[in-house]
Structures are given as C-alpha cells and as structure tokens.
Amino acid sequence: MSKIKVYLRHYNKANLRKQDVRPNWFSYENCYRSVKNADVDLIILLDGTKIDHHFQFDKTDNVIEYVGGSDAASFKFCLEVIKSSNLQDNDIVYIVEDDYMHCPNWELILKEAFDNFNVDYVTLYDHPDKYFLTMYEQLQSKLLHTQTAHWRTTPSTCNTYAGKWQTFKKHWDIHMKYCNPQYTHDGYDHTKFVDLWRQGSNLISSIPGYSTHCETSFLSPLINWSKI
C-alpha cells in the first residue's frame, strides 16, 4: 500500500505576501488544515522559526525549522529532507506550498491517480491559465478517468505536485537543477516541467481541481472554495 508523505513548505512571514490578490476567505491556517488528515504523514518545513510565524501549528506536528530565505533555497531544503526520509520506492511524495487549499478526501483522489495510471507526476490543481492564456490556445490533452475523477494530461504545474519516490530519484538532477539561482525566475516551475517532459516524463491534472492556488484570478474553476 503506497503511503502519502506530505512536505508542506511554510514561510514564517508569509502573511506579508500577495495580500492584494487573496480571496477574502483565505488564510494560511485554512490551507494547512485542509491538507492535514490522519491518512497522510505530514512534515512541515518552516523557513524561519516558530517564534514569529503567523499561526500556531498543532503541538503534535512534525515541524522542521531552517533558514532558506528564497523559494529556490526552500525547495532545495525540501528535497534534502525528502532524500533523508527513508522512503520506499512506491511511497507518494507530495510537495505542497503554503497557499494551497484542498478539498476533503483529496488524498483518496491522489491515490486513485497513481493506482490507475502509469504516471510520473500528479497535480490536483486545475490551472485556469490553461483555459485563457494565448500560449495554450492550441493545447491538446488526453482525457482520462478514475472511479471518482476526470484527469487531463497537462504540460506543467506549479511547485505543488506529487510523484512516487522512485520517480523523484529518476529525475533527481532536474529537480536539483531548478534550485540553482541561475535557473530560478518567475515561472521557473513551468520551465522545470517542460524540461521533465522533454526527458520523457508526464503529468496529469484532476478536473475539476481538488486543490487550488489561493489567488483570486487563479482559483481552480467550478468549485466554491469559500465553502471548502
């Protein structure tokens, strides 16, 4: 049975970021609560210290403090923690940014994807930009379904995604490459997945989404996230 290992990347002063683009129901604690449940192993990677972070995690949480100071440094530290986690090849590694809200039972949907498809990476975020950006006007996707959800092949996602540990090992050099400052820029997560795709990798996204990036213009469509 595959286990889901969630690595939740938090910045201790995240409440200072992107306040002008957040929906009014948003909070980092709501996102944290939405991803936490008894069926997954949760590790919280806190860039900074608990002293001045923006809400209290549960006392039983596994919180690892470090000093990163940038998204690239944070992601590199996350990879280092994953590598030291004594994972089995079939364990599902789910890297999550701190501003992603999840629907109930998201973990069941994620497992369905890996149980039903020979897929490298999975995102539960149904990117709205795939529907309106000019660069995607000619995008063609293959449609799939499991018992509970529909899925589409997609060229890229953000830095919230899942893969089995054996897949991360196979593509380790690419993941590490995009922690190098020379490759980090706005949208470098997209560039990383394009690179992975060129190496023969694949990625699917659930439709509708079972998670969303919490920016008003980029919410996964068709879900009333305020009720979640």
Side-chain angles (χ1 to χ4, degrees):
M1 225 16 215
S2 298
K3 297 177 69 175
I4 298 179
K5 304 280 191 173
V6 179
Y7 297 84
L8 178 60
R9 297 194 300 133
H10 259 271
Y11 178 47
N12 64 348
K13 296 181 181 177
N15 58 317
L16 303 177
R17 294 182 290 140
K18 299 183 178 180
Q19 292 176 320
D20 58 329
V21 298
R22 300 300 191 191
N24 57 16
W25 46 261
F26 168 78
S27 79
Y28 289 97
E29 183 168 7
N30 285 340
C31 292
Y32 151 73
R33 296 289 174 193
S34 76
V35 78
K36 180 178 179 177
N37 65 60
D39 294 323
V40 304
D41 292 339
L42 175 64
I43 298 174
I44 298 165
L45 306 176
L46 180 62
D47 187 352
T49 67
K50 296 179 185 178
I51 294 174
D52 57 351
H53 70 68
H54 44 284
F55 68 88
Q56 295 296 318
F57 299 106
D58 293 341
K59 292 181 179 179
T60 56
D61 285 334
N62 184 0
V63 179
I64 301 174
E65 297 179 8
Y66 66 102
V67 177
S70 71
D71 185 57
S74 167
F75 201 86
K76 183 178 182 180
F77 181 80
C78 181
L79 292 177
E80 291 169 349
V81 172
I82 291 169
K83 192 173 184 178
S84 66
S85 293
N86 193 27
L87 299 169
Q88 301 300 308
D89 278 352
N90 281 327
D91 285 342
I92 298 169
V93 174
Y94 188 26
I95 300 173
V96 181
E97 295 162 287
D98 58 9
D99 57 351
Y100 273 71
M101 180 73 73
H102 288 70
C103 291
N105 299 318
W106 65 265
E107 74 283 1
L108 303 179
I109 306 303
L110 190 61
K111 282 186 176 181
E112 276 191 11
F114 287 106
D115 288 344
N116 283 272
F117 307 126
N118 182 22
V119 63
D120 283 344
Y121 298 102
V122 175
T123 175
L124 299 175
Y125 178 34
D126 184 18
H127 293 243
D129 60 332
K130 299 298 189 293
Y131 302 104
F132 67 78
L133 285 185
T134 303
M135 64 184 289
Y136 295 122
E137 285 182 353
Q138 304 302 315
L139 177 63
Q140 295 186 6
S141 297
K142 183 176 181 179
L143 291 178
L144 311 162
H145 74 87
T146 55
Q147 299 91 316
T148 311
H150 283 85
W151 302 84
R152 66 183 290 180
T153 56
T154 188
S156 65
T157 187
C158 300
N159 268 334
T160 293
Y161 59 92
K164 290 190 175 180
W165 173 229
Q166 61 191 9
T167 305
F168 275 88
K169 288 192 295 183
K170 180 173 66 174
H171 299 139
W172 193 255
D173 289 346
I174 295 177
H175 291 290
M176 291 299 292
K177 170 183 174 181
Y178 288 94
C179 297
N180 187 319
Q182 83 176 90
Y183 293 106
T184 56
H185 53 80
D186 188 34
Y188 78 92
D189 41 12
H190 169 80
T191 307
K192 175 171 65 178
F193 274 93
V194 171
D195 198 346
L196 287 165
W197 176 78
R198 288 172 178 159
Q199 300 300 318
S201 181
N202 53 33
L203 167 70
I204 60 174
S205 169
S206 63
I207 47 174
Y210 278 77
S211 76
T212 188
H213 191 191
C214 292
E215 294 186 16
T216 302
S217 298
F218 292 98
L219 298 174
S220 288
L222 302 181
I223 305 296
N224 186 339
W225 291 103
S226 64
K227 290 187 176 181
I228 302 296

